[in-house]
Amino acid sequence: VGTIPDRGNYGVHLKSDGTRIGELDEEMVFETRVGENIILGATTWHVEEITRDRVVVSPAPGEPGKPPFWKGERPGRPIELGRALGKFTRRLGGISRDARVPWLMKHTRLDEFAAENLANHIDDQLAHTGALPTDQTIIVERFRDELGDWRICILSPFGARIHGPWAITLQRFFSIQTGFDVQIMYTDDGIVMRFAGTEDEFPIETLLPDLDAIKNLITEQVASTSLFAGLFRENAARALLLPRQGPRQRKPLWAQRLKAQNLLAAVNDFPKFPIVLETYRQALSDIFDLDNFRNLLKDIHSRKVRVHDVETRSASPFARSLVFAYVAEYIYEQDAPLAERKAQALTLDRHMLTELLGQVELRDLIDLHVLREFEEQLQHLTDEYRARDADEVHDLLRMLGDLTEDEIAERAHTDPAKWLADLEKEHRAVCIDLMGNRRWIAAEDAALYRDGLGAMPPPELPSTFLQSTEHPLERLLQRYARRHGPFVIHDLMKRYGLHPLQLEHVLSALERDGTLFHGEIRPGGTQPEWCHVKVLHQLKQRTLAKYRNQAAPVDEAEFCMFLPQWHGIQSGRTGMEHLLEVIQQLEDMPFSWMMLSQVILPQRIADFHPDMLNELSTSGRIVWVGRSSLGINDGCIALYRREQASILVQPDNDYTPPHQLHSLILTHLQHNGASFLFEMEESVFQSRKDCTKREFKDALWDLVWSGLITNDTFTPLLEIWRDDSLKHRKWRHSGRVSPEGRWSLVANLTGKKITDTERVLTRTHIFLERYGIVSREVSRAEDLQGGFGPVYKALQAMEQAGKVRRGYFTEGLSGAQFGYIGAIERLRGNTAREKNGEIQEEDVLVLAAVDPANPYGALFPWPQPRKSESPSPRRIPHAWVILVKGKPTLYVGPTGRQLITFSTQQYEEQRQLKAAFAALRHLPKGRLRGEIVVETVDGIPVSESPYYDLMLSCGFKNDYKGVSLSCSP
C-alpha cells in the first residue's frame, strides 16, 4: 500500500451504508460544495458531506447535476506519431481541392461531411498563413491579441515532448537576456507566447536556442517548474519518504505538496540525492525528449525542416486551438499563466479577510423586500409552493415541522382537512398538543417532539415512530432556522415555550459549529438576530443580485468624464489634507518626478508647491521610493503614506551591487542607520580615497532608482534637475528653504511581517480609490503581480460585507466590475450631454498620458487613429491626450512635435478638433519651454495636413519647422 503515491483522488461513498461507488479527482472536489448534485456514471448524486478523504452522497434520481472533470497531465505525443501527422498534413496540402475529398473518403473512415470540413480546414490555413505545419515545415505565426500585445504561435506537429524543452529554453532566453515579460504555454500542437507591452520585432533566430547549451540550460531550468515539483512528490511518496499515519488512511494532496516542498528544500544541497536524480531522469527522459529535440534543431539549422515566418491579423485556424488552450489555462489558474507557476501564488486567509473588513453591516446590506419575499418562499406561502394533495401536505410537515390546521390551510390550494384525515389514518401525520394548541407533525417526528419539547404523541402510534432521537432540541431548532428568516429568541419562546437560557445554550452551540450566524441582520431591527448560514447566504446573494440589476452600464465617454472628476482634476482643492487624499489615490503608482511635481499633483491641488511634500515627509506622514531612472535629471518614484509603506513596499532582496561604491553606501546605512549626505561621503571616502564626488553621487542615485534607499525629504529630487525651465518656475523664487534630509534604507520601512491577505486587501482598497470602478483590466493597467484572481476574491468578500457593489457599470470593461456605492451613483449621474450643441470649456480636458485619470492605454485600448499610417499612441512620460466630452480627440507626443488625431463622428469632427487644438495652449511648460512646435499631424507634415487651416484659426503661427503655439498653463 505504501509504495503507491496518493494521486489526490477522493472516494465517493453512499451515506446509507458507506459503500464506495466511485472516485473523484481533488480538483473536482475543490470545485464542489455540500448540497450540490453531481453526475457519476449514469446517476445523479446529492453531496451530503465532504471530509478529508471522501465525498458522502445520497441518490438524487432525476435531478440535474454537474458532470465531473479532471485536470491533469497526459503523456506527450511521441515524435514518431508527430512525424506521421506532419506527413499526413503535408500530403493533404499537396492534393488539389477537388481531389482532396475523394482521397480522404477512400483512405480514411471519414464520411463526406467530415472530409469536406477537413479539406476546408486545410484551405483556410493555407489562405491564412501560406503554409501548413508538417514534418518538413514549422510555422512561426505572430499577431496582436485583443489587448494589443504580441502573440507568437509556433505551430508544429512534433508533440509536447519536443515542445516542452523548447518552451523552457525560450522562457529562459526572453526573461533573462532580453528582459521581456513573456507568458508561455505548450501543447502537442505547438507553443504559444504572449509578450506584454513591447513594440519590438522578434527575429527567427531568437526562437532557435543554441544546440551546445540546450542540455545544461534545460537541466538548470526544469528544477524551477511545476512539472519537477509534481514528479518529485510522486517519487518521494513511492520511496516511502512521505509516510502516512496508517496504510488505510489517505493523505490530502495539499499536505503531500507541503511535505514534498520541505523535503526538496532539505536536499537541495545534495545534488546526488537519489530521489532528485530520479526526478531529473524522469523529466528529461520520460516526459521530455531531449535527443529528438536536438535532432529537430539540427534539421532546422541544416534546412531539412523549414521555418515559415508569417505575421497575421488574427489567429489562423491551426493557431486557434493553441490560443483557446492558453485562455483556458489562464482562466483556470486565476491569472497565473503556466510560465509563472514558479512564482509563489498569493493565498487569502478568509478568516483574516473578514477580520480586516470589520463587522458586516447586514442591516444596511439586506433588502427588506427581498427578505420578505424569501421568507414567504421558505414558509411555502407563495402560490408555486402551496400543497396540492396529501403527499405534499406530508412534505410540508417534514420540511417545516409543527403546523396548526390554519397554518396548513394558508399553505394549501384547498381545504386540507380531508388530506390530514387521510394522513392520520395512514399513520403518516399525527396531531399533538403544544403550547395549548393542536398542531400537526409528520409521524416520523413524534420522538423528536417528545424528547425535545415533551409533547406526547397519540398512544395508537406504532412504536417504530417513537424511537429515541439524538439531540432532538438541536435538530428542531436547526429546522426552524432553515425555514425562517432572521429570528430572535422571543420568537422561539413564543412558539415552543422554552426557557431563554436553554435556547441560548443550544443556539450558541450551533453558532460555534458554523450552522447559525448571530448579528444585526433584519433591516429596521432593534436587537441581534439568529439566522441559518445558508439562509443568510441566499439572502445576501439575492439582495446583491437585485443591486447588480439596478445599474445600467454607461459608455466609455461617460466613464472618461467620471474618472477625472473622481480624481479631482482641476477641482480647486487646496491644502495639506487634500494633498494627503490625493497621495492616497496615487499610492504605489510610479510616476516621473518631473511629471508628478509639475503636472499630476498641480492638476489636483490648486496651491501645490513641492515644499508641501517636504512638510508631509519631514512630519513622517509620507515616504517616497525610487522605481527607475529616466535619464540624468529625472526618474520614476512612488509615493506612500508611511503606515501603508510596510504593506506595499517590497524591496529587491536579491539586489547585487554592481560596484564597490554601492556596497559601501549600503553597508554604512545598515550599520549607522539614517544618515546625512556628508556622513555617508566621509564614510565612503575613508574606504575609497580615489573616489570622486561625481562617482559617489552616481552610485547613490543608482541605489535610489533601484528602490533600495530613500530620503526623508524631497529636496534631493528637486536638486537633481536644474535645467533652464526651472528659472521660470515660481518654485525657484519661493523664498522657502528645505532641509537636506537624511538617507536611509527602504528595507527599514518593511520590517513588519505582512501576510498576503493584508497586502491584497490593501491594494484592493487602493484600486477602488484610484479608479472608483475596479475590473479585471486593472491587473493590466497596474502590471499586477499574481494577476487579478486574489484581488477578485477580496472584492467578493467586500461585496459580501456590503462595502462595495458588483455589476456591469461600464461598457468596454469586463463583466465582473466592483465599485463603491458613491462611485457608482456618481458614474450613473454623470452624462456626456451637449449644452445647446456647443462645447463648453469644462468639456475639454488636457491630461498627461500616464495620468491614472486617463483610462486609455490602461483600462481601455487606445482608439483607432484617424490615419492608419499614424504612429501608435503610448502611455509614456511627457505625452498628452486631449479629451473632449470624454472622448480622446488628440494625442501629443513627448516633444510636442507630433500630433495624432482619433476617429470620431463626422458631424462632431470639426468642433471637437477645434476645441482640442485650442486646448494645446494649456499644456504645462516643462520641457516645452513655454511653446509647442508641431511638425507632423497623423504622420504627415503639418503643412500638408487637412487640419492646417483649422490650426491657424486656433492661434497657431507658421514656423520654419511647422506651426507653433505659445503655452499658457
Side-chain angles (χ1 to χ4, degrees), residues 775-793:
S775 65
R776 182 176 292 275
E777 284 74 14
V778 166
S779 61
R780 176 184 64 186
E782 299 280 339
D783 192 20
L784 196 57
Q785 184 179 6
F788 188 62
V791 174
Y792 181 79
K793 291 181 180 178

mmCIF file with all atom_site columns, all heavy atoms in Angstrom, residues 775-793:
data_model
loop_
_atom_site.group_PDB
_atom_site.id
_atom_site.type_symbol
_atom_site.label_atom_id
_atom_site.label_alt_id
_atom_site.label_comp_id
_atom_site.label_asym_id
_atom_site.label_entity_id
_atom_site.label_seq_id
_atom_site.pdbx_PDB_ins_code
_atom_site.Cartn_x
_atom_site.Cartn_y
_atom_site.Cartn_z
_atom_site.occupancy
_atom_site.B_iso_or_equiv
_atom_site.pdbx_formal_charge
_atom_site.auth_seq_id
_atom_site.auth_comp_id
_atom_site.auth_asym_id
_atom_site.auth_atom_id
_atom_site.pdbx_PDB_model_num
ATOM 1   N N   . SER A 1 775 ? -12.185 46.442 -12.307 1.00 0.00 ? 775 SER A N   1
ATOM 2   C CA  . SER A 1 775 ? -12.482 45.250 -13.094 1.00 0.00 ? 775 SER A CA  1
ATOM 3   C C   . SER A 1 775 ? -11.165 44.542 -13.405 1.00 0.00 ? 775 SER A C   1
ATOM 4   O O   . SER A 1 775 ? -10.086 44.975 -12.971 1.00 0.00 ? 775 SER A O   1
ATOM 5   C CB  . SER A 1 775 ? -13.202 45.630 -14.395 1.00 0.00 ? 775 SER A CB  1
ATOM 6   O OG  . SER A 1 775 ? -12.348 46.400 -15.212 1.00 0.00 ? 775 SER A OG  1
ATOM 7   N N   . ARG A 1 776 ? -11.245 43.468 -14.173 1.00 0.00 ? 776 ARG A N   1
ATOM 8   C CA  . ARG A 1 776 ? -10.050 42.682 -14.498 1.00 0.00 ? 776 ARG A CA  1
ATOM 9   C C   . ARG A 1 776 ? -8.988  43.521 -15.204 1.00 0.00 ? 776 ARG A C   1
ATOM 10  O O   . ARG A 1 776 ? -7.788  43.245 -15.099 1.00 0.00 ? 776 ARG A O   1
ATOM 11  C CB  . ARG A 1 776 ? -10.445 41.475 -15.361 1.00 0.00 ? 776 ARG A CB  1
ATOM 12  C CG  . ARG A 1 776 ? -9.290  40.558 -15.718 1.00 0.00 ? 776 ARG A CG  1
ATOM 13  C CD  . ARG A 1 776 ? -9.774  39.335 -16.477 1.00 0.00 ? 776 ARG A CD  1
ATOM 14  N NE  . ARG A 1 776 ? -10.566 38.475 -15.630 1.00 0.00 ? 776 ARG A NE  1
ATOM 15  C CZ  . ARG A 1 776 ? -10.066 37.553 -14.824 1.00 0.00 ? 776 ARG A CZ  1
ATOM 16  N NH1 . ARG A 1 776 ? -8.768  37.378 -14.757 1.00 0.00 ? 776 ARG A NH1 1
ATOM 17  N NH2 . ARG A 1 776 ? -10.852 36.804 -14.081 1.00 0.00 ? 776 ARG A NH2 1
ATOM 18  N N   . GLU A 1 777 ? -9.414  44.558 -15.946 1.00 0.00 ? 777 GLU A N   1
ATOM 19  C CA  . GLU A 1 777 ? -8.451  45.369 -16.679 1.00 0.00 ? 777 GLU A CA  1
ATOM 20  C C   . GLU A 1 777 ? -7.460  46.072 -15.763 1.00 0.00 ? 777 GLU A C   1
ATOM 21  O O   . GLU A 1 777 ? -6.389  46.498 -16.213 1.00 0.00 ? 777 GLU A O   1
ATOM 22  C CB  . GLU A 1 777 ? -9.190  46.412 -17.533 1.00 0.00 ? 777 GLU A CB  1
ATOM 23  C CG  . GLU A 1 777 ? -9.842  45.870 -18.784 1.00 0.00 ? 777 GLU A CG  1
ATOM 24  C CD  . GLU A 1 777 ? -11.104 45.071 -18.517 1.00 0.00 ? 777 GLU A CD  1
ATOM 25  O OE1 . GLU A 1 777 ? -11.637 45.149 -17.385 1.00 0.00 ? 777 GLU A OE1 1
ATOM 26  O OE2 . GLU A 1 777 ? -11.578 44.375 -19.434 1.00 0.00 ? 777 GLU A OE2 1
ATOM 27  N N   . VAL A 1 778 ? -7.787  46.207 -14.486 1.00 0.00 ? 778 VAL A N   1
ATOM 28  C CA  . VAL A 1 778 ? -6.869  46.848 -13.547 1.00 0.00 ? 778 VAL A CA  1
ATOM 29  C C   . VAL A 1 778 ? -5.561  46.068 -13.453 1.00 0.00 ? 778 VAL A C   1
ATOM 30  O O   . VAL A 1 778 ? -4.487  46.649 -13.287 1.00 0.00 ? 778 VAL A O   1
ATOM 31  C CB  . VAL A 1 778 ? -7.543  46.973 -12.163 1.00 0.00 ? 778 VAL A CB  1
ATOM 32  C CG1 . VAL A 1 778 ? -6.527  47.321 -11.088 1.00 0.00 ? 778 VAL A CG1 1
ATOM 33  C CG2 . VAL A 1 778 ? -8.626  48.038 -12.206 1.00 0.00 ? 778 VAL A CG2 1
ATOM 34  N N   . SER A 1 779 ? -5.636  44.733 -13.562 1.00 0.00 ? 779 SER A N   1
ATOM 35  C CA  . SER A 1 779 ? -4.409  43.935 -13.484 1.00 0.00 ? 779 SER A CA  1
ATOM 36  C C   . SER A 1 779 ? -3.459  44.277 -14.613 1.00 0.00 ? 779 SER A C   1
ATOM 37  O O   . SER A 1 779 ? -2.243  44.212 -14.465 1.00 0.00 ? 779 SER A O   1
ATOM 38  C CB  . SER A 1 779 ? -4.749  42.434 -13.509 1.00 0.00 ? 779 SER A CB  1
ATOM 39  O OG  . SER A 1 779 ? -5.417  42.087 -14.708 1.00 0.00 ? 779 SER A OG  1
ATOM 40  N N   . ARG A 1 780 ? -4.013  44.655 -15.790 1.00 0.00 ? 780 ARG A N   1
ATOM 41  C CA  . ARG A 1 780 ? -3.157  45.078 -16.904 1.00 0.00 ? 780 ARG A CA  1
ATOM 42  C C   . ARG A 1 780 ? -2.634  46.489 -16.662 1.00 0.00 ? 780 ARG A C   1
ATOM 43  O O   . ARG A 1 780 ? -1.452  46.763 -16.854 1.00 0.00 ? 780 ARG A O   1
ATOM 44  C CB  . ARG A 1 780 ? -3.953  45.024 -18.211 1.00 0.00 ? 780 ARG A CB  1
ATOM 45  C CG  . ARG A 1 780 ? -3.178  45.533 -19.429 1.00 0.00 ? 780 ARG A CG  1
ATOM 46  C CD  . ARG A 1 780 ? -4.065  45.543 -20.660 1.00 0.00 ? 780 ARG A CD  1
ATOM 47  N NE  . ARG A 1 780 ? -5.172  46.466 -20.506 1.00 0.00 ? 780 ARG A NE  1
ATOM 48  C CZ  . ARG A 1 780 ? -6.156  46.587 -21.389 1.00 0.00 ? 780 ARG A CZ  1
ATOM 49  N NH1 . ARG A 1 780 ? -6.181  45.830 -22.460 1.00 0.00 ? 780 ARG A NH1 1
ATOM 50  N NH2 . ARG A 1 780 ? -7.128  47.453 -21.200 1.00 0.00 ? 780 ARG A NH2 1
ATOM 51  N N   . ALA A 1 781 ? -3.512  47.379 -16.211 1.00 0.00 ? 781 ALA A N   1
ATOM 52  C CA  . ALA A 1 781 ? -3.104  48.770 -16.003 1.00 0.00 ? 781 ALA A CA  1
ATOM 53  C C   . ALA A 1 781 ? -2.035  48.884 -14.922 1.00 0.00 ? 781 ALA A C   1
ATOM 54  O O   . ALA A 1 781 ? -1.139  49.721 -15.016 1.00 0.00 ? 781 ALA A O   1
ATOM 55  C CB  . ALA A 1 781 ? -4.319  49.620 -15.638 1.00 0.00 ? 781 ALA A CB  1
ATOM 56  N N   . GLU A 1 782 ? -2.110  48.040 -13.905 1.00 0.00 ? 782 GLU A N   1
ATOM 57  C CA  . GLU A 1 782 ? -1.193  48.131 -12.774 1.00 0.00 ? 782 GLU A CA  1
ATOM 58  C C   . GLU A 1 782 ? -0.039  47.145 -12.869 1.00 0.00 ? 782 GLU A C   1
ATOM 59  O O   . GLU A 1 782 ? 0.802   47.108 -11.972 1.00 0.00 ? 782 GLU A O   1
ATOM 60  C CB  . GLU A 1 782 ? -1.962  47.878 -11.470 1.00 0.00 ? 782 GLU A CB  1
ATOM 61  C CG  . GLU A 1 782 ? -3.068  48.873 -11.194 1.00 0.00 ? 782 GLU A CG  1
ATOM 62  C CD  . GLU A 1 782 ? -2.535  50.171 -10.619 1.00 0.00 ? 782 GLU A CD  1
ATOM 63  O OE1 . GLU A 1 782 ? -1.415  50.172 -10.081 1.00 0.00 ? 782 GLU A OE1 1
ATOM 64  O OE2 . GLU A 1 782 ? -3.234  51.189 -10.710 1.00 0.00 ? 782 GLU A OE2 1
ATOM 65  N N   . ASP A 1 783 ? -0.006  46.324 -13.937 1.00 0.00 ? 783 ASP A N   1
ATOM 66  C CA  . ASP A 1 783 ? 1.009   45.273 -14.075 1.00 0.00 ? 783 ASP A CA  1
ATOM 67  C C   . ASP A 1 783 ? 1.053   44.448 -12.787 1.00 0.00 ? 783 ASP A C   1
ATOM 68  O O   . ASP A 1 783 ? 2.079   44.281 -12.140 1.00 0.00 ? 783 ASP A O   1
ATOM 69  C CB  . ASP A 1 783 ? 2.377   45.885 -14.366 1.00 0.00 ? 783 ASP A CB  1
ATOM 70  C CG  . ASP A 1 783 ? 3.395   44.835 -14.816 1.00 0.00 ? 783 ASP A CG  1
ATOM 71  O OD1 . ASP A 1 783 ? 2.962   43.750 -15.256 1.00 0.00 ? 783 ASP A OD1 1
ATOM 72  O OD2 . ASP A 1 783 ? 4.606   45.085 -14.718 1.00 0.00 ? 783 ASP A OD2 1
ATOM 73  N N   . LEU A 1 784 ? -0.104  43.918 -12.423 1.00 0.00 ? 784 LEU A N   1
ATOM 74  C CA  . LEU A 1 784 ? -0.328  43.329 -11.109 1.00 0.00 ? 784 LEU A CA  1
ATOM 75  C C   . LEU A 1 784 ? 0.324   41.955 -11.002 1.00 0.00 ? 784 LEU A C   1
ATOM 76  O O   . LEU A 1 784 ? -0.010  41.038 -11.752 1.00 0.00 ? 784 LEU A O   1
ATOM 77  C CB  . LEU A 1 784 ? -1.834  43.217 -10.867 1.00 0.00 ? 784 LEU A CB  1
ATOM 78  C CG  . LEU A 1 784 ? -2.306  42.994 -9.438  1.00 0.00 ? 784 LEU A CG  1
ATOM 79  C CD1 . LEU A 1 784 ? -1.793  44.096 -8.532  1.00 0.00 ? 784 LEU A CD1 1
ATOM 80  C CD2 . LEU A 1 784 ? -3.812  42.934 -9.395  1.00 0.00 ? 784 LEU A CD2 1
ATOM 81  N N   . GLN A 1 785 ? 1.264   41.819 -10.075 1.00 0.00 ? 785 GLN A N   1
ATOM 82  C CA  . GLN A 1 785 ? 1.900   40.524 -9.843  1.00 0.00 ? 785 GLN A CA  1
ATOM 83  C C   . GLN A 1 785 ? 0.908   39.565 -9.190  1.00 0.00 ? 785 GLN A C   1
ATOM 84  O O   . GLN A 1 785 ? 0.261   39.886 -8.217  1.00 0.00 ? 785 GLN A O   1
ATOM 85  C CB  . GLN A 1 785 ? 3.128   40.692 -8.947  1.00 0.00 ? 785 GLN A CB  1
ATOM 86  C CG  . GLN A 1 785 ? 3.900   39.392 -8.737  1.00 0.00 ? 785 GLN A CG  1
ATOM 87  C CD  . GLN A 1 785 ? 5.125   39.601 -7.855  1.00 0.00 ? 785 GLN A CD  1
ATOM 88  O OE1 . GLN A 1 785 ? 5.321   40.690 -7.325  1.00 0.00 ? 785 GLN A OE1 1
ATOM 89  N NE2 . GLN A 1 785 ? 5.930   38.587 -7.701  1.00 0.00 ? 785 GLN A NE2 1
ATOM 90  N N   . GLY A 1 786 ? 0.785   38.370 -9.760  1.00 0.00 ? 786 GLY A N   1
ATOM 91  C CA  . GLY A 1 786 ? -0.202  37.418 -9.255  1.00 0.00 ? 786 GLY A CA  1
ATOM 92  C C   . GLY A 1 786 ? -1.541  37.522 -9.937  1.00 0.00 ? 786 GLY A C   1
ATOM 93  O O   . GLY A 1 786 ? -2.417  36.700 -9.719  1.00 0.00 ? 786 GLY A O   1
ATOM 94  N N   . GLY A 1 787 ? -1.714  38.550 -10.806 1.00 0.00 ? 787 GLY A N   1
ATOM 95  C CA  . GLY A 1 787 ? -2.946  38.671 -11.572 1.00 0.00 ? 787 GLY A CA  1
ATOM 96  C C   . GLY A 1 787 ? -4.113  39.174 -10.753 1.00 0.00 ? 787 GLY A C   1
ATOM 97  O O   . GLY A 1 787 ? -3.990  39.597 -9.602  1.00 0.00 ? 787 GLY A O   1
ATOM 98  N N   . PHE A 1 788 ? -5.287  39.122 -11.352 1.00 0.00 ? 788 PHE A N   1
ATOM 99  C CA  . PHE A 1 788 ? -6.495  39.692 -10.763 1.00 0.00 ? 788 PHE A CA  1
ATOM 100 C C   . PHE A 1 788 ? -7.179  38.728 -9.789  1.00 0.00 ? 788 PHE A C   1
ATOM 101 O O   . PHE A 1 788 ? -8.044  39.152 -9.020  1.00 0.00 ? 788 PHE A O   1
ATOM 102 C CB  . PHE A 1 788 ? -7.464  40.079 -11.891 1.00 0.00 ? 788 PHE A CB  1
ATOM 103 C CG  . PHE A 1 788 ? -8.659  40.854 -11.439 1.00 0.00 ? 788 PHE A CG  1
ATOM 104 C CD1 . PHE A 1 788 ? -8.520  42.094 -10.846 1.00 0.00 ? 788 PHE A CD1 1
ATOM 105 C CD2 . PHE A 1 788 ? -9.949  40.342 -11.603 1.00 0.00 ? 788 PHE A CD2 1
ATOM 106 C CE1 . PHE A 1 788 ? -9.616  42.825 -10.432 1.00 0.00 ? 788 PHE A CE1 1
ATOM 107 C CE2 . PHE A 1 788 ? -11.055 41.063 -11.195 1.00 0.00 ? 788 PHE A CE2 1
ATOM 108 C CZ  . PHE A 1 788 ? -10.876 42.304 -10.606 1.00 0.00 ? 788 PHE A CZ  1
ATOM 109 N N   . GLY A 1 789 ? -6.816  37.453 -9.822  1.00 0.00 ? 789 GLY A N   1
ATOM 110 C CA  . GLY A 1 789 ? -7.512  36.451 -9.015  1.00 0.00 ? 789 GLY A CA  1
ATOM 111 C C   . GLY A 1 789 ? -7.587  36.789 -7.538  1.00 0.00 ? 789 GLY A C   1
ATOM 112 O O   . GLY A 1 789 ? -8.675  36.815 -6.948  1.00 0.00 ? 789 GLY A O   1
ATOM 113 N N   . PRO A 1 790 ? -6.452  37.069 -6.843  1.00 0.00 ? 790 PRO A N   1
ATOM 114 C CA  . PRO A 1 790 ? -6.533  37.397 -5.413  1.00 0.00 ? 790 PRO A CA  1
ATOM 115 C C   . PRO A 1 790 ? -7.347  38.659 -5.142  1.00 0.00 ? 790 PRO A C   1
ATOM 116 O O   . PRO A 1 790 ? -8.092  38.724 -4.169  1.00 0.00 ? 790 PRO A O   1
ATOM 117 C CB  . PRO A 1 790 ? -5.061  37.582 -5.023  1.00 0.00 ? 790 PRO A CB  1
ATOM 118 C CG  . PRO A 1 790 ? -4.297  36.786 -6.028  1.00 0.00 ? 790 PRO A CG  1
ATOM 119 C CD  . PRO A 1 790 ? -5.061  36.920 -7.308  1.00 0.00 ? 790 PRO A CD  1
ATOM 120 N N   . VAL A 1 791 ? -7.207  39.684 -6.004  1.00 0.00 ? 791 VAL A N   1
ATOM 121 C CA  . VAL A 1 791 ? -7.982  40.917 -5.821  1.00 0.00 ? 791 VAL A CA  1
ATOM 122 C C   . VAL A 1 791 ? -9.469  40.625 -5.990  1.00 0.00 ? 791 VAL A C   1
ATOM 123 O O   . VAL A 1 791 ? -10.310 41.161 -5.260  1.00 0.00 ? 791 VAL A O   1
ATOM 124 C CB  . VAL A 1 791 ? -7.520  41.990 -6.823  1.00 0.00 ? 791 VAL A CB  1
ATOM 125 C CG1 . VAL A 1 791 ? -8.410  43.229 -6.756  1.00 0.00 ? 791 VAL A CG1 1
ATOM 126 C CG2 . VAL A 1 791 ? -6.069  42.370 -6.555  1.00 0.00 ? 791 VAL A CG2 1
ATOM 127 N N   . TYR A 1 792 ? -9.799  39.755 -6.943  1.00 0.00 ? 792 TYR A N   1
ATOM 128 C CA  . TYR A 1 792 ? -11.200 39.399 -7.167  1.00 0.00 ? 792 TYR A CA  1
ATOM 129 C C   . TYR A 1 792 ? -11.795 38.746 -5.920  1.00 0.00 ? 792 TYR A C   1
ATOM 130 O O   . TYR A 1 792 ? -12.930 39.042 -5.527  1.00 0.00 ? 792 TYR A O   1
ATOM 131 C CB  . TYR A 1 792 ? -11.296 38.466 -8.370  1.00 0.00 ? 792 TYR A CB  1
ATOM 132 C CG  . TYR A 1 792 ? -12.708 38.043 -8.717  1.00 0.00 ? 792 TYR A CG  1
ATOM 133 C CD1 . TYR A 1 792 ? -13.558 38.896 -9.415  1.00 0.00 ? 792 TYR A CD1 1
ATOM 134 C CD2 . TYR A 1 792 ? -13.187 36.792 -8.354  1.00 0.00 ? 792 TYR A CD2 1
ATOM 135 C CE1 . TYR A 1 792 ? -14.845 38.522 -9.736  1.00 0.00 ? 792 TYR A CE1 1
ATOM 136 C CE2 . TYR A 1 792 ? -14.478 36.397 -8.661  1.00 0.00 ? 792 TYR A CE2 1
ATOM 137 C CZ  . TYR A 1 792 ? -15.300 37.269 -9.365  1.00 0.00 ? 792 TYR A CZ  1
ATOM 138 O OH  . TYR A 1 792 ? -16.585 36.895 -9.665  1.00 0.00 ? 792 TYR A OH  1
ATOM 139 N N   . LYS A 1 793 ? -11.037 37.877 -5.268  1.00 0.00 ? 793 LYS A N   1
ATOM 140 C CA  . LYS A 1 793 ? -11.525 37.239 -4.042  1.00 0.00 ? 793 LYS A CA  1
ATOM 141 C C   . LYS A 1 793 ? -11.753 38.274 -2.942  1.00 0.00 ? 793 LYS A C   1
ATOM 142 O O   . LYS A 1 793 ? -12.746 38.210 -2.193  1.00 0.00 ? 793 LYS A O   1
ATOM 143 C CB  . LYS A 1 793 ? -10.529 36.179 -3.571  1.00 0.00 ? 793 LYS A CB  1
ATOM 144 C CG  . LYS A 1 793 ? -10.451 34.963 -4.478  1.00 0.00 ? 793 LYS A CG  1
ATOM 145 C CD  . LYS A 1 793 ? -9.459  33.956 -3.929  1.00 0.00 ? 793 LYS A CD  1
ATOM 146 C CE  . LYS A 1 793 ? -9.364  32.718 -4.828  1.00 0.00 ? 793 LYS A CE  1
ATOM 147 N NZ  . LYS A 1 793 ? -8.368  31.751 -4.327  1.00 0.00 ? 793 LYS A NZ  1
#
